[in-house]
Amino acid sequence: MNILEIKKTLYTLIQYEDSAITHTIPQVLELSYCKTSKIFQITTLTDQKTLNYNDYDIDNASEALYKIVN
């Protein structure tokens, strides 16, 4: 997955903020968006660490996801 595809996914999560969508890459990570706090939540499944990024910080969120996936 390249950085542009990741950013597109993040923008899609914002657009569907009335739905509970979680993207999962088995044994790697879970990505979700919280509409009330407007935060992307990335949980790495190997160590259960959670990273939070505001929805206006898509660049940093996408870079973090890219590093985890690649």
Side-chain angles (χ1 to χ4, degrees):
M1 193 174 227
N2 68 42
I3 200 87
L4 294 175
E5 292 171 324
I6 293 170
K7 283 183 183 183
K8 183 179 176 183
T9 300
L10 296 178
Y11 282 116
T12 300
L13 285 175
I14 291 171
Q15 291 175 350
Y16 292 97
E17 65 182 26
D18 291 336
S19 301
I21 300 171
T22 300
H23 291 280
T24 303
I25 299 175
Q27 300 177 341
V28 179
L29 67 85
E30 288 183 348
L31 166 66
S32 60
Y33 179 71
C34 177
K35 68 179 179 179
T36 55
S37 58
K38 298 186 184 267
I39 289 179
F40 294 106
Q41 186 173 56
I42 303 165
T43 302
T44 53
L45 300 177
T46 54
D47 57 10
Q48 295 299 310
K49 288 186 181 178
T50 301
L51 304 168
N52 294 309
Y53 294 91
N54 292 314
D55 62 358
Y56 59 80
D57 200 12
I58 287 179
D59 288 335
N60 285 330
S62 59
E63 286 177 27
L65 283 165
Y66 183 80
K67 287 177 184 178
I68 293 168
V69 172
N70 295 304

